[in-house]
Amino acid sequence: MPLTEIDRLKQTVSEAWDSPVADQVAARWGYPAGTAKWWRSSASHVFVLLESGRRRYLRFVPGSYRGPKPLATVAELMARLSDGGSAVVRPVAAESGALTTTVATGLGAMHAMVVEPAPGGEVDAHGLTASQAWQWGQALARLHRDAAGLDAGLPESFGELADIAELFPGDAALVEATARLTDVMRGLPRCQDRWGVVHGDFELDNMAWEEGGPIAYDFDEAALSWYAADIAYAVRDLTDHTGRPEPKHRAQYDAFLDGYRSVRPFDDEDSGRLPLFTGLHAAASLVRITHALGEPARQEPDWLSELRDDLTDMAHAHRQLVIDIGQEVGRGVE
């Protein structure tokens, strides 16, 4: 989401963390004013709904940033997966009975949904055991298996790559590296064992853990893509910048893939493409970050300036990664 949109919403948030905009949206689910408390804003605005000891999460995006269809598609996907027994959180219907709704607010139209919380605790890469990594890989494979055929309305991944040449016309190294990666990507097979519905961001930050394994949420990046691409993005905390396993996380990395293979096929050819997908993800992320940054205002609050600096540094790192992996791919073709 553009930083300007995040700032517009943030300016409405009070010291008590509520917002009249969130109040207008939450009312569609029957929540009284002041219930919704701001939590974070990135791909969407997220507010915690806590009433009578019950916690839920309100998620909404400005209509000026994204239309209503992507959110409705994601909500339907999550509902069908949950109803089928997949370990994902379920959307909550509004009072109208719809899973998503568009609300006119003081900041314009907002497309919104509410989801149940994911029970359990958090696990990070440093605390991840090999057993948990196996469950994590198994959970992603089950999601890939269970989501087969539930692809109506989802976009294809890496559509952002078409913007590279226009956004960076003077950066020949970046444009050429992206072209190499894209050329290889276009030749990849799209058979049902390798291509289908993916979560898009199945990293440790987007799931909660119970004894039986992780429960996934945050399907903002759900798409049609290669399953290997979903794996490459999920295990970033276990790899170096090129997508290869870090020695200190090798056991967890191998356990993740073993868990995945216990449910779905994933051969050495797929594994060998993980660095390629790491480069493609870096290029796509670079485009999203560039769009999010936009043009800075003359005066910005400190938190926004700091966020802009962090994202700019991240963009530089993504650029270099695209170039490095693009050069590897070039040598491989030669």
Side-chain angles (χ1 to χ4, degrees):
M1 189 187 307
L3 297 188
T4 52
E5 289 291 347
I6 295 176
D7 185 43
R8 288 178 71 220
L9 187 281
K10 192 75 181 297
Q11 289 181 37
T12 73
V13 176
S14 74
E15 292 183 357
W17 301 108
D18 53 15
S19 162
V21 175
D23 288 343
Q24 289 176 292
V25 179
R28 294 295 184 92
W29 279 264
Y31 286 94
T35 305
K37 304 294 184 181
W38 182 78
W39 185 35
R40 63 175 174 82
S41 295
S42 53
S44 60
H45 301 302
V46 183
F47 283 72
V48 178
L49 299 167
L50 184 60
E51 187 178 46
S52 302
R54 183 169 190 171
R55 181 185 297 267
R56 287 171 171 167
Y57 292 91
L58 171 67
R59 307 172 66 91
F60 57 90
V61 296
S64 58
Y65 165 62
R66 184 177 294 173
K69 185 177 179 180
L71 192 69
T73 300
V74 164
E76 180 65 21
L77 172 64
M78 294 172 68
R80 293 177 70 180
L81 284 171
S82 179
D83 290 345
S86 296
V88 304
V89 298
R90 198 187 194 290
V92 178
E95 290 186 327
S96 66
L99 293 178
T100 62
T101 187
T102 298
V103 184
T105 75
L107 292 183
M110 297 290 172
H111 309 307
M113 66 184 293
V114 169
V115 296
E116 297 286 3
E122 297 180 356
V123 174
D124 61 21
H126 298 292
L128 183 73
T129 66
S131 175
Q132 288 171 324
W134 191 90
Q135 292 178 322
W136 180 21
Q138 185 183 60
L140 182 56
R142 285 175 173 167
L143 191 154
H144 289 165
R145 178 196 66 193
D146 297 345
L150 305 182
D151 54 1
L154 288 174
E156 290 191 5
S157 62
F158 303 118
E160 302 93 341
L161 303 188
D163 295 342
I164 287 283
E166 181 179 351
L167 285 175
F168 307 98
D171 194 337
L174 173 64
V175 173
E176 290 171 6
T178 303
R180 289 193 202 100
L181 297 174
T182 302
D183 285 345
V184 175
M185 179 188 72
R186 286 173 178 157
L188 297 179
R190 294 192 177 193
C191 54
Q192 66 178 20
D193 282 348
R194 290 186 163 94
W195 171 274
V197 177
V198 301
H199 180 277
D201 196 7
F202 204 76
E203 62 178 354
L204 293 171
D205 285 348
N206 285 330
M207 59 193 68
W209 291 75
E210 291 190 303
E211 187 172 330
I215 298 175
Y217 51 91
D218 197 352
F219 278 69
D220 288 340
E221 306 302 327
L224 290 172
S225 189
W226 292 271
Y227 297 128
D230 213 17
I231 291 174
Y233 207 71
V235 299
R236 288 172 298 156
D237 286 344
L238 307 182
T239 65
D240 63 19
H241 70 289
T242 68
R244 295 174 174 84
E246 286 272 17
K248 64 181 179 181
H249 293 310
R250 184 76 207 210
Q252 292 91 335
Y253 179 91
D254 290 343
F256 178 99
L257 294 184
D258 288 342
Y260 189 94
R261 292 185 182 110
S262 73
V263 177
R264 293 196 72 262
F266 188 77
D267 58 25
D268 290 343
E269 191 173 4
D270 291 319
S271 181
R273 292 179 179 136
L274 294 182
L276 166 68
F277 286 121
T278 297
L280 290 167
H281 280 306
S285 296
L286 177 58
V287 172
R288 290 196 293 269
I289 291 172
T290 302
H291 285 311
L293 287 171
E295 292 296 327
R298 287 186 177 181
Q299 289 187 329
E300 291 183 335
D302 290 342
W303 70 267
L304 185 56
S305 296
E306 292 172 4
L307 177 57
R308 185 179 296 280
D309 290 343
D310 289 343
L311 289 176
T312 299
D313 289 343
M314 191 180 299
H316 290 322
H318 285 318
R319 173 192 176 275
Q320 190 59 52
L321 179 55
V322 174
I323 292 171
D324 290 345
I325 295 182
Q327 289 174 343
E328 284 188 23
V329 168
R331 288 194 293 270
V333 171
E334 294 169 359

